[in-house]
């Protein structure tokens, strides 16, 4: 066994193929920024799925360990935007044209992460009509209970009064705010000593949402400095679209409970 053989570097390092002609110096940065993101997304998904499986098996400690790794991956991905931010609008404009209609909308791993975190939207499957393997992967993420679904099921098994219709909801649909969950969390946050495991997991989920939001925010800010408010290659309005994504929340009741806590 050798270093390059074990890591299959031949395959990995043959996969950066700029298409601008003549080749633009900065296209390599653009490709590597995306490829490294996709590699980390692969691990992030692997760990998120493990966290879901552990929760389903009432194994809270290993689930929390997997989530700790997920959070560090997200922090690395957020930091990584600073490398791409060295790409100036002038430089990007010189090869943006070769990207055609390609865009981050088509990242099937990103879509799967959003789905596992609970931001489900079956309509997004059609983006992958031309790629059955990618579509099957995203469909699996759509159809499996989200991380939040698994956590609420675990809480119910542990005796917390989670409303029954939440436990057998259609997990392929987006989560919508449930006011009747807030008192369940309010009890956990009011008596943390008696509910430590649940309390700790709630706070891990809040951290996780924070880290995803920071990634989205840095994407938006990088996009603003590179293309201003031009439309996206994927057909969206561009920065206004990305700004709206910042209003999404995976675990709305975990934020609502904060308002309810007594002073
Ligand atoms: C010059 C750099 C970049 C620009 C100007 C840019 C711009 C955009 C725009 C405008 C959108 C909205 C879709 C569209 O209409 O195209 C988008 C979506 C997206 N981009 Fe980027 N992006 C850049 C870099 C990246 C990188 C490095 C990644 C990492 C993989 C990435 C991942 C995504 C993802 C996952 C979406 C879909 C977001 C969603 O559906 O909420 N982008 N990007
Ligand atoms: N949406 C970007 C293009 C872009 O960033 C992109 C193009 C091809 C493959 C991945 C991309 N990344 C994220 O959107 C733009 O509008 O310039």
């Amino acid at each position: 066994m050798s270093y390059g053989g074990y890591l299959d570097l031949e395959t990995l390092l043959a996969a950066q193929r700029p298409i601008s002609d003549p080749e633009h110096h900065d296209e390599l940065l653009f490709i590597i920024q995306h490829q490294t993101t996709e590699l980390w997304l692969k691990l992030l998904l692997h760990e998120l799925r493990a966290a879901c499986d552990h929760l389903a098996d009432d194994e809270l400690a290993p689930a929390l360990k997997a989530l700790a790794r997920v959070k560090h991956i997200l922090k690395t991905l957020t930091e990584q935007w600073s490398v791409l931010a060295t790409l100036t609008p002038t430089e990007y404009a010189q090869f943006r044209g070769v990207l055609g209609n390609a865009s981050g909308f088509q990242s099937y791993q990103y879509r799967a992460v959003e789905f596992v975190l609970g931001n489900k939207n079956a309509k997004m499957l059609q983006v992958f009509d031309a790629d059955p393997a990618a579509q099957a992967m995203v469909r699996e993420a759509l159809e499996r209970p989200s991380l939040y679904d698994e956590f609420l099921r675990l809480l119910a098994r542990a005796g917390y009064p989670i409303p029954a219709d939440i436990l057998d909801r259609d997990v392929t649909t987006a989560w919508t705010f449930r006011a009747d969950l807030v008192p369940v969390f309010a009890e956990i946050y009011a008596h943390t000593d008696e509910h430590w495991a649940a309390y700790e997991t709630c706070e891990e989920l809040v951290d996780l949402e924070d880290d995803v939001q920071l990634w989205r925010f840095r994407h938006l800010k990088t996009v603003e400095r590179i293309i201003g408010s031009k439309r996206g290659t994927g057909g969206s309005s561009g920065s206004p679209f990305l700004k709206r994504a910042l209003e999404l929340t995976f675990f709305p009741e975990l934020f609502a409970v904060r308002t309810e806590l007594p002073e």
Side-chain angles (χ1 to χ4, degrees):
M1 187 50 71
S2 68
Y3 178 82
Y6 177 64
L7 298 170
D8 198 0
L9 285 187
E10 207 180 327
T11 307
L12 185 68
L13 299 178
Q16 295 70 45
R17 297 191 303 263
I19 58 172
S20 51
D21 187 18
E23 183 176 326
H24 190 281
H25 173 85
D26 299 305
E27 194 182 347
L28 187 62
L29 160 67
F30 189 77
I31 292 172
I32 290 181
Q33 181 89 23
H34 282 87
Q35 289 183 340
T36 50
T37 302
E38 291 291 341
L39 278 176
W40 281 122
L41 287 176
K42 182 172 181 173
L43 183 62
L44 201 152
L45 260 178
H46 181 67
E47 300 296 342
L48 271 181
R49 291 195 189 103
C52 287
D53 293 345
H54 284 307
L55 290 177
D57 293 338
D58 290 312
E59 297 161 350
L60 197 54
L64 292 178
K65 178 156 187 314
L67 290 183
R69 188 172 292 164
V70 164
K71 291 193 309 189
H72 282 290
I73 296 168
L74 282 166
K75 285 184 203 303
T76 287
L77 284 174
T78 300
E79 272 299 301
Q80 175 170 309
W81 283 113
S82 68
V83 185
L84 190 64
T86 64
L87 181 71
T88 67
T90 315
E91 290 161 349
Y92 184 50
Q94 289 166 45
F95 64 90
R96 189 182 188 220
V98 304
L99 304 173
N101 294 323
S103 105
F105 270 151
Q106 296 155 339
S107 168
Y108 46 87
Q109 295 200 108
Y110 180 79
R111 199 55 58 208
V113 167
E114 288 270 6
F115 283 1
V116 175
L117 290 174
N119 182 17
K120 307 249 179 138
N121 179 356
K123 286 200 195 104
M124 296 304 297
L125 285 178
Q126 59 193 49
V127 174
F128 310 105
D129 279 345
D131 185 347
Q135 193 174 56
M137 195 276 270
V138 181
R139 187 185 300 281
E140 191 275 336
L142 179 76
E143 289 175 354
R144 69 152 58 222
S146 71
L147 185 68
Y148 200 35
D149 287 319
E150 295 291 11
F151 176 50
L152 295 172
R153 290 176 185 191
L154 177 147
L155 287 180
R157 291 192 299 275
Y160 289 91
I162 308 296
D165 63 312
I166 288 183
L167 301 171
D168 52 37
R169 78 180 200 94
D170 175 1
V171 298
T172 67
T173 60
W175 179 266
T176 49
F177 180 70
R178 287 290 301 240
D180 51 353
L181 260 187
V182 179
V184 180
F185 291 131
E187 165 64 19
I188 291 170
Y189 277 77
H191 305 284
T192 57
D193 287 351
E194 289 111 279
H195 304 291
W196 195 265
Y199 171 58
E200 186 184 9
T201 313
C202 289
E203 287 296 288
E204 286 297 315
L205 294 181
V206 171
D207 281 350
L208 179 61
E209 168 150 342
D210 221 39
D211 290 338
V212 173
Q213 288 289 25
L214 290 174
W215 183 87
R216 288 183 179 142
F217 182 76
R218 290 286 281 143
H219 181 219
L220 167 68
K221 290 293 152 187
T222 311
V223 169
E224 282 176 347
R225 68 184 281 167
I226 298 178
I227 62 166
S229 42
K230 285 183 182 154
R231 296 190 70 82
T233 51
S236 83
S237 57
S239 62
F241 166 81
L242 297 172
K243 226 172 252 167
R244 271 200 304 281
L246 293 173
E247 284 157 25
L248 294 171
T249 164
F250 300 119
F251 318 118
E253 299 78 12
L254 290 178
F255 289 88
V257 70
R258 290 158 147 79
T259 315
E260 300 308 318
L261 293 181
E263 300 286 316

